[in-house]
Amino acid sequence: MEPTVARRIPPGADGVPNGQPLLHVDRLSKDFGGLRAVNGCSFSVRSGSITGLIGPNGAGKSTVFGLISGFLRPDEGRVYLDGDDITGLPPHQVFRRGLCRTFQIPREHASLTVLENLMLVPPDQLGERFWNPLLRPLAVRRQERTIREKAQEVLEFLTLSHLRDEYAGTLSGGQKKLLELARTLMADPRIVLLDEPAAGVNPSLMARIREQLVQLNAERGITFLLIEHDIPLVMGLCDPVIVMNQGTKLAEGPPALVRGDPRVLEAYLGGQYGAADD
Amino acid sequence: MSDVALIKSLLLTIPLAFLVFRALPAGLALAARLPLALALGWTVALGVTLLVPTGVMSYLASFAIVGSIYAVIALGLNVQWGYTGLFNIGIAAFFAVGAFTSALFTTTAPTGVAAGFTQQAFGLGAPFLVGVLAAGVVAGVLAAVVGGPTLRLRDDYLAIATIGIAELVRLVFQNERWLANGPQPLRGIPQPLVCLVREAGCPWLPAPIMGLFAPLSPRDYTYVYLVITALFVIVTFMVLERAVRSPWGRLLRAVREEEDAAAMNGKDVARIKLQAFVVGAVIMGMGGALYAHYMVAIDYSHFDPLYATFLIWVMLMLGGSGNNRGAILGAFVIWGVWTGAAFAVDALRPALAAISPELPARGPYLRLLLIALLLIFILLFRPKGLIGEERFVSRHSGSREA
């Protein structure tokens, strides 16, 4: 099954009533050689939520992101977006269904300017076809204007405007994280998977990213699933929080509940802690 | 002033006016820029034709022809490597396929006694432009066949595949006699518009226009062909500039910089790479066709990796990959160094003989040494080439548009 028709999603409306599952992964497994990185992991992300995905190093969080976004193919299990099976679709087709992701280590197009990094994103641009710039230069120019305006809006929203014409490769680590987020906004996504948005970002910048996530979630109805090691950030921002350990879901629930779960403490701090707590 | 000089200078005006046009400030209105370019171009052309001795002049013209052919191929490589980062080290394959395709399309298959000496798979006797287009199409198809499976894999596989295909293509043309006369040269490739310089003239051209060319003799054909190759460089350059400064070019550069991010932003990376690879190969194939019609007779040995792959890489490296002007500049500079080195080695013969009697015979290798040293110097001191990639490539996403 390979659906080819892309669905264009109007901004802010993801087509799923709030609270219903938008993304669902069902018994995902992935082996790397002899290592089982993800082991029968299932969870759902409700539409309109900011869901946190936490867990100790090596729990399989980033692998799950790779499996959802099409960079990796699961050995077992399925991924559903809005009820459609998207398992095994290549990343560009997953994107077209409204799912964007950022990378743990930012992957910017280094020798393109910041503006170009954003202008790249909108799908089905007229000028992406070799002949159109030659045969229909005016239509291409018109579309480029629209896209540039949108890119400038996004830059302004994320307070990156002053870096517009810089090479993306010269930005600081935190600015690159913002650029990753900016690119996802160029796409009007339904759901964004953020891989450690706070790692390497200074606290004041992080406060701003956090503010913007909340605003995007509230105003544009974008659902977020984020991997994060900064526990206070997750506890303050996310509801629910999903905890992974050894390739599978360990616990899920409101942050306060998850924080007190002895299994979670054990996973993070080792068996001794769990035992002592009894 | 003689009629010959006049007509020669008029022919030379075409490439020179384009260069002047490009050199004039872009802010100038077209109504001023165009006539100015034509006037200046013609002045230079006339000056050169009158002042430079005829022999030197026709040497320079044929130098410029080969330079232009290399420029076309370097432009093709620039699409693949400069903008998309595709490591094609089998340029010779597309070069050769283009050359032989156009040769087969435009020659007529020999009959009677001649058929015993020259074998070729077919000969359609088609016009020059049909041959050039066919060369582009066949080279493009070859690129799709090679690139289809390998572009999905890691970068190094394309390099392995292209170097293999280049050897394969050369060996096929060397050994398959039925195809294009095998180890023997395929001769008699028609020269386009050669009738302009012939006594009989071109029957399809109105007499008054034909009269203009009357002073030219057959050995002045170089000037006619120079105009053809120069026009080819100009058209290729303009088409590529358009394409590369558009969202299409942005896609290529994005894929070059970071494939995964491009994929996660909804771009079909494999398809983009294939497009760039095919577009580059089509241009290389057409460059090959230009080469065949200039040489009149070609065989497999023209397409060895030194002339047909390595030199072109050095040209793009020196000129500046990711810049179409750089590709053209590099082609002329390196071809100049390469041919100039031959003279230098000749001049050094007595000195070389003084060192060791065997040395003059090995002189040609000194050229290779020189080019290799040049390549090292480029990589060390000018890694982006003479004119590297600009910061604002896209027409509509630079700060100028704001």
Side-chain angles (χ1 to χ4, degrees):
Chain A
M1 183 206 82
E2 189 138 298
T4 45
V5 183
R7 289 175 41 179
R8 305 297 302 274
I9 309 301
D14 64 16
V16 175
N18 276 5
Q20 296 298 308
L22 173 62
L23 176 72
H24 178 64
V25 301
D26 184 30
R27 283 165 293 175
L28 279 185
S29 290
K30 178 71 184 174
D31 291 330
F32 292 118
L35 180 80
R36 177 146 281 216
V38 177
N39 187 10
C41 182
S42 301
F43 61 81
S44 291
V45 177
R46 284 182 288 106
S47 177
S49 69
I50 301 181
T51 302
L53 184 60
I54 63 169
N57 291 326
K61 306 178 297 290
S62 286
T63 308
V64 165
F65 267 27
L67 294 170
I68 294 171
S69 58
F71 280 92
L72 300 169
R73 218 171 243 280
D75 295 322
E76 283 163 37
R78 317 295 308 171
V79 180
Y80 299 94
L81 183 64
D82 189 10
D84 292 334
D85 190 342
I86 59 163
T87 321
L89 287 187
H92 68 270
Q93 286 186 24
V94 173
F95 167 93
R96 296 195 149 233
R97 288 159 169 268
L99 187 146
C100 288
R101 77 167 284 190
T102 65
F103 295 93
Q104 191 176 350
I105 297 157
R107 301 196 184 176
E108 74 289 346
H109 303 289
S111 67
L112 268 60
T113 64
V114 168
L115 185 68
E116 279 185 303
N117 265 269
L118 298 195
M119 289 184 66
L120 173 77
V121 177
D124 298 322
Q125 297 179 29
L126 214 53
E128 285 181 352
R129 302 198 169 270
F130 182 77
W131 290 113
N132 280 340
L134 298 163
L135 303 179
R136 303 170 62 190
L138 292 179
V140 170
R141 172 188 295 231
R142 251 199 317 277
Q143 201 182 41
E144 282 280 274
R145 288 234 167 96
T146 322
I147 294 171
R148 197 179 59 229
E149 268 160 34
K150 177 165 182 178
Q152 270 159 347
E153 271 169 35
V154 169
L155 285 178
E156 222 151 278
F157 180 70
L158 293 175
T159 61
L160 283 172
S161 293
H162 60 294
L163 299 169
R164 207 183 87 135
D165 291 334
E166 297 299 321
Y167 283 121
T170 63
L171 301 190
S172 75
Q175 289 166 336
K176 284 180 186 174
K177 291 264 177 187
L178 271 182
L179 178 62
E180 291 249 319
L181 186 62
R183 283 199 303 212
T184 65
L185 297 185
M186 286 299 292
D188 294 322
R190 313 160 81 184
I191 176 166
V192 178
L193 276 52
L194 298 171
D195 200 340
E196 297 198 25
V201 177
N202 75 55
S204 69
L205 192 56
M206 192 53 228
R208 215 166 71 207
I209 294 182
R210 183 196 155 138
E211 221 171 84
Q212 266 132 9
L213 290 183
V214 172
Q215 196 183 341
L216 285 167
N217 177 254
E219 289 175 9
R220 301 201 197 173
I222 300 175
T223 305
F224 288 97
L225 172 64
L226 65 142
I227 295 179
E228 190 46 75
H229 282 299
D230 181 342
I231 297 300
L233 173 75
V234 173
M235 295 303 167
L237 182 65
C238 305
D239 188 12
V241 174
I242 297 168
V243 186
M244 274 187 79
N245 189 32
Q246 294 180 350
T248 191
K249 186 175 87 175
L250 185 69
E252 179 180 350
L257 216 65
V258 166
R259 188 159 34 187
D261 191 321
R263 290 171 304 166
V264 175
L265 295 171
E266 186 180 322
Y268 266 99
L269 301 170
Q272 291 299 326
Y273 186 89
D277 206 41
D278 280 334
Chain B
M1 178 180 43
S2 69
D3 292 349
V4 185
L6 181 68
I7 183 76
K8 279 180 185 172
S9 69
L10 283 174
L11 288 172
L12 290 179
T13 301
I14 295 171
L16 288 171
F18 180 77
L19 285 178
V20 175
F21 184 84
R22 293 283 311 181
L24 288 173
L28 221 56
L30 194 67
R33 205 172 164 198
L34 196 60
L36 200 59
L38 284 171
L40 276 173
W42 188 51
T43 315
V44 175
L46 200 58
V48 169
T49 334
L50 290 175
L51 296 177
V52 179
T54 320
V56 176
M57 199 52 216
S58 73
Y59 175 78
L60 286 180
S62 56
F63 170 84
I65 289 175
V66 181
S68 312
I69 293 169
Y70 270 123
V72 170
I73 298 171
L75 282 170
L77 182 64
N78 196 25
V79 176
Q80 297 179 342
W81 170 254
Y83 291 108
T84 324
L86 305 176
F87 194 38
N88 175 1
I89 41 176
I91 303 166
F94 308 100
F95 192 176
V97 161
F100 279 106
T101 302
S102 191
L104 288 174
F105 266 72
T106 52
T107 49
T108 39
T111 50
V113 185
F117 298 99
T118 301
Q119 295 180 21
Q120 58 183 84
F122 59 88
L124 303 179
F128 169 70
L129 277 181
V130 174
V132 174
L133 286 179
V137 169
V138 175
V141 169
L142 178 68
V145 169
V146 177
T150 48
L151 285 170
R152 288 169 193 281
L153 305 172
R154 261 197 356 246
D155 297 352
D156 9 359
Y157 288 95
L158 181 70
I160 297 165
T162 50
I163 202 170
I165 207 79
E167 287 302 297
L168 208 80
V169 164
R170 194 162 51 89
L171 287 171
V172 165
F173 282 115
Q174 180 177 355
N175 292 305
E176 300 302 318
R177 184 107 202 259
W178 59 271
L179 181 62
N181 215 21
Q184 305 293 323
L186 187 62
R187 292 173 216 276
I189 303 166
Q191 297 174 301
L193 296 181
V194 73
C195 59
L196 286 179
V197 295
R198 290 250 166 88
E199 201 71 46
C202 302
W204 46 269
L205 210 62
I209 299 176
M210 194 55 232
L212 272 177
F213 294 95
L216 292 181
S217 64
R219 59 172 185 201
D220 295 326
Y221 177 70
T222 324
Y223 294 88
V224 176
Y225 201 67
L226 175 59
V227 171
I228 295 174
T229 52
L231 280 176
F232 218 89
V233 175
I234 292 170
V235 171
T236 312
F237 174 78
M238 296 208 311
V239 167
L240 285 184
E241 280 289 283
R242 273 273 160 164
V244 151
R245 292 181 185 282
S246 73
W248 187 73
R250 192 160 62 209
L251 278 184
L252 303 193
R253 291 184 302 131
V255 165
R256 178 191 68 192
E257 295 297 317
E258 182 52 71
E259 262 179 49
D260 284 346
M264 203 54 249
N265 286 318
K267 310 304 176 192
D268 189 342
V269 171
R271 207 176 108 194
I272 296 163
K273 283 180 167 181
L274 191 63
Q275 278 182 11
F277 193 56
V278 169
V279 168
V282 166
I283 295 167
M284 290 171 180
M286 296 204 269
L290 290 178
Y291 180 77
H293 291 273
Y294 176 60
M295 297 305 288
V296 177
I298 53 168
D299 64 60
Y300 71 94
S301 68
H302 293 213
F303 306 101
D304 74 357
L306 170 63
Y307 279 93
T309 298
F310 176 69
L311 273 188
I312 297 156
W313 266 99
V314 181
M315 287 166 178
L316 186 63
M317 292 301 190
L318 175 100
S321 70
N323 189 318
N324 289 323
R325 286 178 300 133
I328 297 173
L329 177 70
F332 279 92
V333 170
I334 290 297
W335 188 239
V337 170
W338 183 252
T339 49
F343 291 120
V345 169
D346 266 351
L348 282 176
R349 260 172 190 281
L352 292 174
I355 300 168
S356 158
E358 285 176 13
L359 220 45
R362 305 208 175 141
Y365 296 105
L366 288 177
R367 295 166 89 186
L368 266 180
L369 183 70
L370 185 72
I371 289 286
L373 284 176
L374 190 60
L375 183 60
I376 292 170
F377 275 109
I378 301 165
L379 294 175
L380 281 178
F381 299 112
R382 195 91 199 178
K384 287 187 156 185
L386 293 176
I387 33 178
E389 187 168 321
E390 298 157 40
R391 180 185 291 243
F392 302 109
V393 177
S394 296
R395 288 161 71 87
H396 308 302
S397 51
S399 56
R400 286 162 296 175
E401 278 272 331

